[in-house]
Amino acid sequence: MSNYHIKHLEEYFQVYRKSVRDPENYWEEIAEEHFLWHKRWDNVLSWDFEKPEVKWFEGAKLNITENCIDRHLRTRGNKTAILFEPNDSSEKAQHITYNALHDKVCQFANVLKQQGVKKGDRVCIYLPMIPELSYAVLACARIGAIHSVVFAGFSAKALATRINDSDCKLVITSDGSYRGKKVLDLKSIVDEALETCECVENVLVVKRTRSKISMKDDRDQWLAPLMDAAEKTCEPEIMDAEDPLFILYTSGSTGTPKGMVHTTAGYMVYTAFTFKNVFQYTEDDIYWCTADIGWITGHSYIVYGPLANGATTVMFEGVPSYPDHGRFWEIVEKHKVTQFYTAPTAIRALGKEKLDFVEKYDLSSLKVLGTVGEPINEEAWHWYDENIGKRKCPIVDTWWQTETGGILISPIPYSTPAIPTFATLPLPGIQPALMDEEGKEIHENQVDGRLCIKFPWPSIARTIWGNHERYKETYFSAYKNMYFTGDGALRDSVGYYRITGRVDDVVIVSGHNLGTAPIEDAINEHPAVAESAIVGFPHDVKGNALYGYVILKETGETRDRDNVRKEINQLISERIGPIAKLDKIQFTSGLPKTRSGKIMRRILRKIASGDTSNLGDTSTLLNPEIVDEIMENVLK
Ligand code: 7RM
């Protein structure tokens, strides 16, 4: 039996039992056998969900880039580490070997040092999906700087908020980015953001689109000449197990985005372990995750997890619809991809297109298909199974979060029998619990409840940057001694879990988590708006789309409502990003409120979804009459 590589169902159950009976021993054996340490840990785990505080492998010393790069050089130096597939299919793919990756990361690390970046400093990375993004992430880790990658679709305001929150001293960006037919101007977004960021001293700019941009003297520099002049070796900074590795922002149901802090050793061990098992990775595989490195999926399963296993990881710059809807499948054929990991929203979008786009290509290299980010509906699951996997590839529906660092609930391919829409069973070391509304654990099966985790795993986020109180409040206060996920889940008669969706005010649109509160804040900035409430409603491609209820101020002026709608979406684009735009905006004279003044979103959600059969008890509302008005004017 191998703790590290589970190959059949019996083994899963054995390993799982062991991991729960003696978690410390379980993770210790894995850590010992599969990684490079400069010093061994003194203590495998100490934890206290009351404080809350979690520490794994305390006292150990390591550098994660040695584990992801240097360790492989002797046996895999000439193997492709990163296979870069550009936006334009006519541009050649780049095979970046482990040797080449080593040199680039060291050069970049030396550049960062020259710019005055030191261990513990925060570096903001705002880049498209080009190789320099991976180099930048790993270069930070090489020297012990904390990276904060911000998805390059976020607006200047959203970028500035994130830069300021973690006090970044350097920003790495590019002149522009290619996304399908579009060329986006990233540098000018950074310029605008930096007008409100005093902490940033230097900006490094990657040349990608050759767009005309402005460079600010004393602040901005092109990366390439600095890289060329830099040494190709850089001694790794030896880090403590619990030193922060990165910050990644995720939307909360209220307030500013939360800077989730992940630390070094536990994150490394857990992402490497889950990558190996969930994708049944073997040496000659070509693994492709279509996420952006701006999200946790990219951090854990494009960069760290695959590289820690010495894998070949595909990095795709473009979009699924360019030059046409066959692009994903063309890439699978071209590079003989063996594992393919994407989001349900992409599957639904491609499933709407003609099957010719799929049938043109040879997909026989595929062994495992994965999904992540939101619940997958049955129709999409079957489309994926039949047309992409040809009913021969297990599908892993992987449930996890930015906060969890790695996959927690997922089938293990060729071991766990899959059932559509079920993420199935917890991975080794993961102890889920379903809680009822009164705060009691539900022990029976075939029920739903709120999903919690009872015991720490190595890659749990350790805090929210600069706000430990909020970390405690958000994740450890709802239920005593439990990590609360914010998701609802159902457990069936055999113990399989099905994640039903968020139970808080986060809506997942096309796989992106959006807090409704910041969107409402943006709308309320409109001079004509008095108040607003945002809810999600089901959308056949995006999973959920956003529905806005807006109360206009009574100013006596008449405004063109379609104009106001446009202006509202414009504001949202500027404040948050185009992904947060509303699909429908209904003007209303009031919102259903409880006596304590809370908007009853449950009712608004039902109305927006067209489900008005059972609105529940509205008699406790302060203004029950408003419900009829809203229902009458609902936008179909
Ligand atoms: C990895 C990631 C986290 C939220 C999470 C869920 C939802 C993710 C699934 C899923 C149903 C899944 N991180 N979610 N995976 N829901 N089935 N397989 O997406 O921080 O961006 O989002 O995404 O609601 O809480 S995330």
Side-chain angles (χ1 to χ4, degrees):
M1 182 177 92
S2 156
N3 280 341
Y4 189 70
H5 188 184
I6 299 160
K7 295 203 187 98
H8 51 82
L9 192 58
E10 249 336 282
E11 203 172 41
Y12 162 77
F13 283 117
Q14 278 181 29
V15 168
Y16 183 77
R17 277 194 293 270
K18 177 174 172 184
S19 75
V20 172
R21 219 184 307 121
D22 191 351
E24 302 190 22
N25 187 32
Y26 178 76
W27 290 112
E28 176 162 52
E29 270 181 47
I30 289 174
E32 219 154 41
E33 278 172 40
H34 299 276
F35 303 90
L36 186 78
W37 305 91
H38 282 260
K39 180 183 165 282
R40 211 188 133 87
W41 45 93
D42 307 314
N43 190 21
V44 181
L45 169 67
S46 61
W47 67 291
D48 176 351
F49 276 176
E50 295 267 297
K51 263 183 171 176
E53 184 180 83
V54 177
K55 291 180 180 167
W56 282 93
F57 308 112
E58 225 184 330
K61 303 237 180 241
L62 74 156
N63 183 286
I64 197 169
T65 70
E66 272 191 307
N67 281 278
C68 289
I69 306 171
D70 305 52
R71 190 161 57 104
H72 308 307
L73 295 182
R74 198 172 51 81
T75 50
R76 305 185 179 103
N78 292 320
K79 175 176 174 174
T80 302
I82 296 175
L83 206 175
F84 172 64
E85 176 66 32
N87 179 60
D88 233 295
S89 36
S90 58
E91 191 184 324
K92 262 175 86 190
Q94 276 182 51
H95 292 256
I96 300 149
T97 64
Y98 274 92
N99 282 326
L101 180 63
H102 171 269
D103 293 357
K104 292 286 189 189
V105 169
C106 287
Q107 285 177 301
F108 209 141
N110 286 323
V111 170
L112 293 178
K113 281 188 182 173
Q114 284 159 21
Q115 301 297 309
V117 179
K118 299 202 168 55
K119 177 178 174 182
D121 287 345
R122 275 78 58 210
V123 172
C124 174
I125 304 174
Y126 187 72
L127 280 173
M129 283 286 286
I130 54 177
E132 286 80 1
L133 170 52
S134 296
Y135 306 156
V137 162
L138 293 163
C140 288
R142 187 78 172 179
I143 65 169
I146 302 169
H147 55 77
S148 167
V149 182
V150 176
F151 174 61
F154 276 116
S155 69
K157 278 252 159 58
L159 174 61
T161 307
R162 288 158 176 78
I163 291 173
N164 284 326
D165 183 76
S166 48
D167 214 8
C168 294
K169 103 189 244 196
L170 183 115
V171 176
I172 303 166
T173 189
S174 66
D175 47 0
S177 73
Y178 294 122
R179 285 187 61 77
K181 275 185 264 185
K182 289 189 229 153
V183 184
L184 304 175
D185 189 355
L186 290 193
K187 177 61 166 56
S188 71
I189 296 175
V190 170
D191 290 340
E192 190 189 330
L194 293 192
E195 284 172 22
T196 57
C197 301
E198 280 178 13
C199 47
V200 175
E201 294 163 14
N202 296 297
V203 178
L204 298 175
V205 186
V206 178
K207 193 170 273 183
R208 176 59 182 143
T209 56
R210 297 170 190 278
S211 326
K212 260 210 152 57
I213 59 162
S214 71
M215 295 287 276
K216 194 168 166 193
D217 287 351
D218 307 331
R219 191 193 70 186
D220 306 347
Q221 284 166 278
W222 290 105
L223 178 71
L226 301 175
M227 286 281 275
D228 291 344
E231 291 278 342
K232 292 181 175 158
T233 55
C234 173
E235 279 303 305
E237 185 79 33
I238 305 307
M239 306 297 283
D240 287 339
E242 283 296 336
D243 277 338
L245 173 63
F246 65 85
I247 301 168
L248 185 62
Y249 286 89
T250 188
S251 329
S253 49
T254 55
T256 53
K258 298 172 288 191
M260 304 314 304
V261 177
H262 283 284
T263 58
T264 308
Y267 177 81
M268 172 181 79
V269 169
Y270 195 77
T271 54
F273 167 82
T274 49
F275 173 73
K276 173 81 181 165
N277 286 289
V278 171
F279 300 104
Q280 286 293 301
Y281 166 75
T282 55
E283 184 65 35
D284 296 317
D285 290 343
I286 307 288
Y287 162 87
W288 180 20
C289 165
T290 70
D292 192 291
I293 294 174
W295 311 114
I296 191 67
T297 305
H299 281 61
S300 302
Y301 299 109
I302 296 178
V303 182
Y304 289 113
L307 297 179
N309 281 279
T312 298
T313 176
V314 176
M315 208 181 151
F316 175 45
E317 184 185 26
V319 295
S321 55
Y322 176 80
D324 62 41
H325 291 94
R327 187 67 195 278
F328 274 2
W329 322 124
E330 181 214 321
I331 296 173
V332 169
E333 175 184 284
K334 179 171 161 196
H335 298 303
K336 301 200 166 52
V337 170
T338 46
Q339 287 93 349
F340 179 75
Y341 191 27
T342 197
T345 186
I347 299 169
R348 288 189 297 264
L350 295 174
K352 282 195 164 317
E353 301 299 326
K354 284 205 212 75
L355 268 182
D356 303 2
F357 287 120
V358 179
E359 285 165 353
K360 270 212 291 227
Y361 300 102
D362 174 7
L363 306 181
S364 60
S365 56
L366 289 169
K367 296 195 287 192
V368 175
L369 301 176
T371 80
V372 61
E374 52 183 316
I376 181 164
N377 50 308
E378 279 212 58
E379 195 188 346
W381 195 98
H382 287 296
W383 186 87
Y384 202 29
D385 182 41
E386 282 160 29
N387 299 298
I388 307 305
K390 319 286 179 194
R391 296 179 195 252
K392 285 190 306 238
C393 296
I395 296 179
V396 289
D397 177 349
T398 65
W399 173 82
W400 58 297
Q401 308 178 294
T402 305
E403 295 85 339
T404 69
I407 299 166
L408 299 196
I409 303 182
S410 168
I412 291 180
Y414 304 102
S415 296
T416 322
I419 299 182
T421 77
F422 281 81
T424 75
L425 298 170
L427 293 180
I430 306 306
Q431 304 187 33
L434 290 183
M435 309 298 290
D436 68 17
E437 307 223 349
E438 272 91 65
K440 283 204 291 294
E441 185 173 352
I442 307 168
H443 290 282
E444 56 276 25
N445 285 352
Q446 280 183 303
V447 284
D448 52 36
R450 292 169 178 225
L451 182 62
C452 289
I453 315 287
K454 288 196 229 187
F455 194 87
W457 60 99
S459 64
I460 183 176
R462 305 298 197 256
T463 189
I464 292 174
W465 183 264
N467 200 343
H468 198 67
E469 241 341 276
R470 186 173 180 200
Y471 173 72
K472 178 177 180 170
E473 174 62 34
T474 312
Y475 305 107
F476 300 94
S477 304
Y479 305 99
K480 199 171 154 59
N481 270 316
M482 301 257 179
Y483 164 81
F484 175 47
T485 65
D487 283 328
L490 171 105
R491 189 169 49 219
D492 77 358
S493 56
V494 299
Y496 274 18
Y497 288 88
R498 172 194 201 156
I499 314 303
T500 48
R502 304 289 311 184
V503 295
D504 56 12
D505 293 329
V506 173
V507 185
I508 304 188
V509 179
S510 299
H512 302 301
N513 286 11
L514 299 172
T516 50
I519 302 175
E520 289 162 8
D521 292 345
I523 299 172
N524 298 347
E525 281 182 38
H526 191 288
V529 171
E531 199 182 351
S532 61
I534 302 303
V535 296
F537 69 98
H539 184 280
D540 58 357
V541 173
K542 302 194 236 186
N544 293 294
L546 297 173
Y547 193 110
Y549 297 91
V550 175
I551 306 176
L552 292 177
K553 286 182 187 155
E554 286 179 38
T555 55
E557 294 168 62
T558 45
R559 287 190 179 249
D560 179 59
R561 298 204 155 189
D562 281 333
N563 263 344
V564 178
R565 286 194 174 94
K566 273 197 207 117
E567 288 159 7
I568 285 175
N569 270 329
Q570 183 63 30
L571 264 169
I572 296 174
S573 284
E574 281 163 20
R575 296 293 184 272
I576 296 149
I579 48 176
K581 284 205 243 176
L582 308 182
D583 270 42
K584 295 181 185 172
I585 300 177
Q586 173 179 353
F587 295 105
T588 174
S589 68
L591 293 166
K593 291 198 176 165
T594 64
R595 290 179 197 269
S596 60
K598 287 211 176 71
I599 300 171
M600 288 277 267
R601 284 165 209 279
R602 184 176 53 78
I603 293 174
L604 294 175
R605 260 195 292 271
K606 285 207 150 186
I607 298 176
S609 316
D611 166 21
T612 51
S613 54
N614 180 15
L615 289 179
D617 185 8
T618 54
S619 64
T620 58
L621 289 175
L622 203 60
N623 51 348
E625 70 290 343
I626 198 71
V627 176
D628 288 331
E629 183 205 304
I630 292 179
M631 283 200 299
E632 249 165 57
N633 300 323
V634 68
L635 302 169
K636 296 262 154 59

